[in-house]
């Protein structure tokens, strides 16, 4: 098997896994990989990623001109091209709409709390790139702001994007984001989310080096650290929400704000309020 045919087979397999896991519906999602120094191998537009065959892929140059393939390249090609432009170290890009992570993207809640050691050592934080119309030039612009410091991000009201040093590396980060989103959702439904302390987060960051995990940027030393003049926020480090632990590795989070604002009513008071509301509608 040549290197190119092996990459074609990997894209087919990753598309199959994404569709089987419900990360994409219908023709959603796209996958690409560098083919040498000046070409990309990419999924075509308007095909279900669960049923692709190796011959369906397109080859383009780094400006998106199609060089080979019966079909047109992905409608999100501009976003992929921007990632390769900004990150010479990135070899592969995966985009999908995994439902739980996309739910966070729709709710405008980034996955940036220090909760799981594995997520902190691999991805760091997962920010949300501002909403932009899919397939337009606005989407790569929104992604540009975060891609230098992050290997994975949510796309507001759209989905998620991950990158890696190979195809499966990029795909596994998509799995990690969706898994993390599910765990975060369950913890928040249970009403409490204990966070790792800032000291523990810094300790985990040192482990990145020990295990040879290549992160695009360090975790910001202090939450909310102001970026240097002229630089974009989040361009130089990863913002992670981790409170000071003062010696402890785990910090019991305060009551979630929703709970703090909770109002308790008796059944009779609630019924009276509903009746009032109905009366005012008449
Ligand atoms: Zn999409």
């Amino acid at each position: 098997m040549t290197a190119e045919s092996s990459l074609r087979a990997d894209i087919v397999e990753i598309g199959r896994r994404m569709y089987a896991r419900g990360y994409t519906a219908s023709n959603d999602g796209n996958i690409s990989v560098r083919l040498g120094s000046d070409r990309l191998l990419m999924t075509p537009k308007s095909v279900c990623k669960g049923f692709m065959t190796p011959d369906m892929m397109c080859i383009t140059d780094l400006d998106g001109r199609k060089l080979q393939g019966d079909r047109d390249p992905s409608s999100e090609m501009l976003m992929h091209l921007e990632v390769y432009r900004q990150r010479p170290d990135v070899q592969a890009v995966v985009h999908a709409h995994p439902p739980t992570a996309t739910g966070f993207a729709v709710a405008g809640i980034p996955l940036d709390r220090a909760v799981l050691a594995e997520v902190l050592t691999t991805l760091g934080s997962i920010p949300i790139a501002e909403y932009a119309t899919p397939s337009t030039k606005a989407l790569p612009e929104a992604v540009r702001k975060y891609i230098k410091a992050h290997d994975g991000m949510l796309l507001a009201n759209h989905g998620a994007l991950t990158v890696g040093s190979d195809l499966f590396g990029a795909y596994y980060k998509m799995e990690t984001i969706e898994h993390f989103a599910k765990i975060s959702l369950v913890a928040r439904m249970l009403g409490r989310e204990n966070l790792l302390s800032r000291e523990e987060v810094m300790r985990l960051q040192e482990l990145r080096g020990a295990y040879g995990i290549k992160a695009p940027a360090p975790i910001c030393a202090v939450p909310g650290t102001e970026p240097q003049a002229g630089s974009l926020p989040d361009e130089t480090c990863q913002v992670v929400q981790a409170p000071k632990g003062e010696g402890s590795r785990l910090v019991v989070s305060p009551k979630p704000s929703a709970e703090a604002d909770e109002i308790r009513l008796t059944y009779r008071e609630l019924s009276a309020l509903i009746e009032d509301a109905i009366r005012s509608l008449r």
Side-chain angles (χ1 to χ4, degrees):
M1 207 184 239
T2 64
E4 182 184 321
S5 58
S6 155
L7 291 172
R8 285 174 184 266
D10 284 351
I11 292 179
V12 168
E13 176 59 19
I14 288 168
R16 196 188 64 74
R17 291 189 196 194
M18 291 205 307
Y19 186 65
R21 283 176 161 266
Y23 292 3
T24 57
S26 182
N27 297 338
D28 297 343
N30 27 74
I31 306 162
S32 68
V33 63
R34 284 190 200 268
L35 201 57
S37 60
D38 54 358
R39 293 181 306 157
L40 302 173
L41 185 64
M42 191 178 299
T43 49
K45 65 162 68 159
S46 308
V47 300
C48 176
K49 305 305 170 297
F51 299 96
M52 293 186 295
T53 52
D55 58 298
M56 284 182 177
M57 307 307 155
C58 301
I59 296 178
T60 72
D61 64 15
L62 296 178
D63 293 318
R65 278 183 289 266
K66 188 170 91 168
L67 303 174
Q68 199 184 313
D70 297 335
R71 296 162 187 263
D72 286 335
S74 164
S75 54
E76 293 296 7
M77 178 176 68
L78 295 176
M79 176 169 72
H80 289 243
L81 296 175
E82 185 64 28
V83 172
Y84 292 115
R85 252 193 299 275
Q86 298 295 331
R87 292 280 301 272
D89 60 310
V90 161
Q91 295 297 315
V93 177
V94 170
H95 165 58
H97 306 164
T100 315
T102 304
F104 276 79
V106 168
I109 303 171
L111 289 163
D112 63 353
R113 295 189 190 166
V115 175
L116 297 175
E118 289 80 1
V119 175
L120 287 161
T121 47
T122 53
L123 279 153
S125 71
I126 299 141
I128 305 181
E130 286 74 19
Y131 178 76
T133 309
S135 82
T136 67
K137 278 183 185 163
L139 188 54
E141 276 165 26
V143 164
R144 190 184 307 146
K145 181 171 165 184
Y146 296 100
I147 195 63
K148 281 194 177 154
H150 299 86
D151 280 351
M153 70 186 77
L154 303 178
L155 308 173
N157 291 65
H158 181 169
L161 174 74
T162 52
V163 304
S165 54
D166 58 44
L167 274 166
F168 274 92
Y171 166 69
Y172 287 138
K173 283 175 192 153
M174 187 63 75
E175 280 195 355
T176 299
I177 288 181
E178 179 63 357
H179 197 228
F180 181 30
K182 282 182 184 164
I183 292 168
S184 297
L185 179 64
V186 170
R188 290 177 201 194
M189 285 165 80
L190 292 170
R192 203 155 94 174
E193 199 175 22
N194 298 332
L195 304 185
L196 302 180
S197 69
R198 179 138 297 270
E199 295 83 339
E200 179 66 5
V201 167
M202 290 302 148
R203 215 170 284 130
L204 288 168
Q205 179 162 242
E206 284 165 24
L207 285 181
R208 278 179 169 176
Y211 289 110
I213 297 167
K214 283 198 191 100
I219 290 166
C220 301
V222 179
T225 302
E226 292 304 314
Q228 290 174 348
S231 72
L232 291 165
D234 298 350
E235 198 177 35
T236 53
C237 62
Q238 301 180 339
V239 175
V240 170
Q241 306 300 328
K244 273 190 168 295
E246 282 152 19
S248 77
R249 295 191 174 198
L250 205 57
V251 179
V252 176
S253 64
K255 273 191 169 185
S257 57
E259 206 173 302
D261 296 333
E262 191 178 56
I263 299 169
R264 288 176 191 270
L265 295 173
T266 63
Y267 182 73
R268 188 172 297 181
E269 288 166 334
L270 179 64
S271 302
L273 270 176
I274 293 170
E275 277 168 22
D276 269 357
I278 291 169
R279 222 173 287 128
S280 70
L281 286 173
R282 281 181 189 144

